[in-house]
Amino acid sequence: GFPKPKLKWYKGKLEISDNPKYKTTFSQGIVQLEIRRAQMAEAGVYKLVASNEMGEDSCECNVTIRDV
C-alpha cells in the first residue's frame, strides 16, 4: 500500500511485539509471520492489522499445531 502501512500482529487480543519466538517480514508487498519452534501453546487465531493515513484493513487465520 501507499503510503507504506504500519503492521501489527496479534495472537488473540494480545499484540505480538519484540518477541524472539516470532519473526515478521514485509518485503515486496508480502507480509509473513514465522513462529519459531512452534508448540501447542502457539495454536490459535492470529490477526494482522495494516494501517496508514488512508485507512485500515485486517485479516486473520486460525493456526493449528500438530504433534509429529
Side-chain angles (χ1 to χ4, degrees), residues 7 11 17 25 35 55:
L7 305 174
K11 179 178 185 270
S17 62
T25 57
I35 305 170

Side-chain angles (χ1 to χ4, degrees), residues 14-16 19 31 33-34 41 45 48 50-51 54 60 63-65:
L14 298 175
E15 184 176 356
I16 299 171
N19 186 332
V31 180
L33 174 68
E34 177 184 343
V45 177
L48 170 64
S51 61
M54 302 303 287
E60 17 179 269
V63 174
T64 304
I65 309 293

Side-chain angles (χ1 to χ4, degrees), residues 9-12 33 35 42-48 58-64:
W9 283 98
Y10 296 86
K11 179 178 185 270
L33 174 68
I35 305 170
E42 278 79 56
V45 177
Y46 286 79
K47 181 178 182 178
L48 170 64
S58 66
C59 62
E60 17 179 269
C61 69
N62 188 26
V63 174
T64 304

